[in-house]
Amino acid sequence: MPQSLAFFQGKVVPIEEAQVNVMTHALHYGTAVFEGIRGNWNSVEEKLYVFRMEEHYERLLQGCSMLMLNIPYTASDLCQITIDLLRQCDYKQDLYIRPLAYKSEELVANLKLQEIDSDFTLIMVPFGDYLDSDGALKCCTSSWRRVDDTNVPPRLKISGTYVNGILAKTEATLAGFDEAIMLTQDGYVSEGSGENLFMINDGAIFTPPVSDNNLTGITRDSAIEIANQTLGIEVIERRIRRSELYFADEVFLTGTAAHIQAVGYLDNRTIGSGESGPITSKINAVYQEAIRGNHVDFKDWCTGI
Ligand code: PMP
């Protein structure tokens, strides 16, 4: 039987015992960084494959450095803590793995980062599809602009920053769309509320540069590698105008939770055929094999448990 456990305050405890006090700094100010990592169940091998775990922890540690979250672990320590918890929980299905480094001190009315205690916690939950869609996604351009690097660095997964994406996602879903596409302050395409964005035209693949305030996505990087290695297409990073998306052949989103998902409609206009196009489908097919440890070229992206 799988067990619901957490790594909390330096040890593994039942999830019910992993509780913080209401005075906790991070609860008030969003002074935390997190990761979303997938464990993908391979039913033929009866094995769980964790996708690009080390890269996720390297990004988490960059966020820790940004927010002065002093946690006593290296990326490889964090991988080992995760492997140990996965073994103890013993899930045999797709998982979402959520590490969180946070300002744990019970201290309100203090707006500094220095000299405030930090801690690290880790939980994992069974997780299927994130974007509930029966085909290509229906998206809208958000009226909320993506937070700029001059406000809070959007390249990192800083908890407080997620209010920005959550406002966009809420607006989009209440209006009947699956997902929001956010623009930068000066009107260039940035990303989805929890996904990076790619556009395909005449066989060329484009994605906005990280300097357009999107997250340094690990699925983004994987899609770039797959396009390059298996399709022989070099992805071009350049600024993208909103109206270019309407006339693109294909648009797709990438994210750990979302995987690779075609966008079929934007602002009630059809993109390409309105379905997953040929290049999106090819990249996705390789990606689906890669995340379950089935693709020889990308085996080193996976940690088998
Ligand atoms: N952008 C944002 C804002 C996200 O939250 C995510 C999900 N982590 C992504 C992009 C995709 O990043 P990744 O592929 O590393 O999950």
XYZ file of all heavy atoms in Angstrom, residues 34-36 56 59 96 146 154 157 162 191-196 214-220 254-257, ligand 1:
228
model
N 9.604 26.951 -5.070
C 9.171 25.564 -5.145
C 9.557 24.958 -6.482
O 10.062 25.641 -7.373
C 7.659 25.467 -4.880
C 6.784 26.074 -5.948
C 6.238 25.271 -6.937
C 6.484 27.435 -5.961
C 5.419 25.810 -7.922
C 5.669 27.984 -6.943
C 5.132 27.169 -7.918
N 9.319 23.676 -6.599
C 9.502 22.977 -7.874
C 8.298 22.095 -8.127
O 7.564 21.721 -7.198
C 10.756 22.094 -7.844
C 12.026 22.808 -8.280
C 11.888 23.472 -9.635
O 11.298 22.878 -10.551
O 12.386 24.609 -9.776
N 8.078 21.770 -9.369
C 7.112 20.757 -9.747
C 7.890 19.753 -10.575
O 8.452 20.104 -11.618
N 15.789 20.314 -11.915
C 14.768 20.970 -11.085
C 15.390 21.489 -9.793
O 15.109 22.613 -9.364
C 13.628 19.997 -10.769
C 12.640 19.857 -11.884
N 11.685 20.823 -12.143
C 12.449 18.887 -12.804
C 10.952 20.436 -13.181
N 11.401 19.271 -13.608
N 17.489 24.587 -10.303
C 16.651 25.796 -10.395
C 16.148 26.201 -9.009
O 16.117 27.380 -8.666
C 15.486 25.553 -11.362
C 14.660 26.777 -11.652
C 13.662 26.545 -12.784
N 12.667 25.543 -12.447
C 11.763 25.059 -13.305
N 11.767 25.481 -14.564
N 10.876 24.166 -12.924
N 3.130 13.821 -8.930
C 3.636 15.193 -8.928
C 4.447 15.352 -7.650
O 3.944 15.081 -6.553
C 2.475 16.180 -8.957
C 2.904 17.598 -9.208
C 3.348 17.994 -10.470
C 2.871 18.542 -8.194
C 3.735 19.302 -10.704
C 3.248 19.856 -8.433
C 3.687 20.223 -9.693
O 4.069 21.518 -9.925
N 2.494 39.757 -17.657
C 3.459 38.948 -16.928
C 4.361 39.861 -16.096
O 4.816 40.904 -16.582
C 4.293 38.143 -17.940
C 5.370 37.279 -17.327
C 4.820 36.118 -16.537
N 5.899 35.274 -16.046
C 5.822 34.530 -14.941
N 4.701 34.500 -14.231
N 6.833 33.792 -14.568
N 11.003 36.629 -12.799
C 10.048 35.601 -13.229
C 10.690 34.317 -13.720
O 9.994 33.331 -13.942
C 9.286 36.284 -14.369
C 10.112 37.433 -14.794
C 11.153 37.703 -13.781
N 10.975 30.012 -9.705
C 9.652 29.631 -9.193
C 9.471 30.167 -7.768
O 9.490 29.415 -6.789
C 9.486 28.105 -9.238
C 9.291 27.598 -10.664
C 9.094 26.099 -10.715
C 7.704 25.658 -10.371
N 6.695 25.947 -11.391
N 3.525 33.664 -8.060
C 2.458 32.857 -8.662
C 1.084 33.504 -8.582
O 0.170 33.113 -9.325
C 2.481 31.413 -8.122
C 3.433 30.624 -8.983
C 4.811 30.801 -8.846
C 2.977 29.823 -10.024
C 5.692 30.167 -9.706
C 3.852 29.189 -10.880
C 5.206 29.362 -10.718
O 6.070 28.749 -11.583
N 4.391 33.856 -21.851
C 4.150 32.422 -21.597
C 2.740 32.215 -21.081
O 1.983 33.166 -20.896
C 5.180 31.883 -20.596
C 5.119 32.554 -19.245
C 6.048 31.921 -18.207
O 6.605 30.842 -18.453
O 6.187 32.520 -17.136
N 2.387 30.949 -20.838
C 1.115 30.622 -20.204
C 1.227 30.814 -18.698
O 2.283 31.178 -18.186
N 0.141 30.550 -17.962
C 0.203 30.760 -16.507
C 1.129 29.744 -15.845
O 1.669 30.020 -14.777
C -1.196 30.685 -15.892
O -1.688 29.363 -15.935
N 1.324 28.593 -16.480
C 2.237 27.591 -15.917
C 2.956 26.829 -17.005
O 3.333 25.674 -16.820
N 3.120 27.459 -18.170
C 3.742 26.775 -19.314
C 4.509 27.776 -20.161
O 4.100 28.919 -20.299
C 2.685 26.128 -20.237
C 1.705 25.183 -19.586
C 0.508 25.917 -18.979
O 0.278 27.084 -19.352
O -0.172 25.344 -18.121
N 5.592 27.305 -20.783
C 6.274 28.089 -21.820
C 5.555 27.902 -23.150
O 4.725 26.996 -23.291
C 7.735 27.647 -21.939
C 8.540 28.003 -20.706
O 8.846 27.144 -19.885
N 8.878 29.254 -20.563
N 9.700 34.852 -19.037
C 9.126 33.535 -18.788
C 10.050 32.727 -17.870
O 11.193 33.099 -17.628
C 8.813 32.786 -20.090
C 9.930 32.876 -21.090
O 10.987 32.314 -20.869
N 9.714 33.599 -22.175
N 9.521 31.645 -17.355
C 10.299 30.759 -16.496
C 11.325 30.007 -17.349
O 11.049 29.690 -18.514
C 9.357 29.757 -15.819
C 10.007 28.894 -14.749
C 10.062 29.648 -13.419
C 9.241 27.602 -14.548
N 12.486 29.724 -16.772
C 13.484 28.897 -17.469
C 12.989 27.445 -17.417
O 13.423 26.647 -16.582
C 14.858 29.007 -16.787
O 14.664 28.789 -15.383
C 15.489 30.360 -16.993
N 12.058 27.142 -18.288
C 11.332 25.868 -18.221
C 12.190 24.670 -18.604
O 12.958 24.711 -19.581
N 12.037 23.617 -17.844
C 12.788 22.394 -18.108
C 12.131 21.611 -19.250
O 12.810 21.002 -20.073
C 12.933 21.589 -16.794
C 13.910 22.370 -15.901
C 13.411 20.159 -17.040
C 13.896 22.006 -14.457
N 10.807 21.680 -19.358
C 10.135 21.051 -20.509
C 10.444 21.855 -21.776
O 10.600 21.282 -22.857
C 8.616 20.980 -20.280
O 8.375 20.658 -18.908
C 7.965 19.933 -21.164
N 10.535 23.171 -21.638
C 10.944 24.043 -22.755
C 12.293 23.571 -23.281
O 12.478 23.361 -24.485
C 11.022 25.490 -22.248
C 11.584 26.519 -23.221
C 11.750 27.858 -22.470
N 12.098 28.971 -23.328
C 13.338 29.312 -23.648
N 14.360 28.613 -23.194
N 13.568 30.362 -24.427
N 4.451 24.118 -23.111
C 5.234 23.068 -22.444
C 5.302 23.338 -20.949
O 5.490 24.475 -20.528
C 6.687 23.035 -22.963
O 7.322 24.293 -22.654
C 6.770 22.783 -24.448
N 5.183 22.303 -20.163
C 5.353 22.446 -18.710
C 5.348 21.078 -18.061
O 4.788 20.129 -18.613
N 5.946 20.996 -16.882
C 5.994 19.716 -16.170
C 4.589 19.170 -15.949
O 4.320 17.996 -16.210
C 6.719 19.902 -14.822
O 8.053 20.281 -15.103
C 6.692 18.634 -13.990
N 3.691 20.023 -15.464
C 2.324 19.563 -15.196
C 1.567 19.358 -16.506
O 0.905 18.342 -16.703
C 1.594 20.559 -14.310
N 6.134 28.880 -16.732
C 5.593 28.898 -15.509
C 5.107 30.181 -14.952
C 5.493 27.709 -14.773
O 4.954 27.709 -13.547
C 5.958 26.509 -15.343
C 5.832 25.217 -14.574
N 6.955 24.960 -13.783
C 6.529 26.545 -16.619
C 6.589 27.756 -17.292
C 7.105 25.316 -17.238
O 8.306 24.986 -16.581
P 8.801 23.475 -16.469
O 8.817 22.948 -17.834
O 10.149 23.575 -15.855
O 7.818 22.781 -15.603
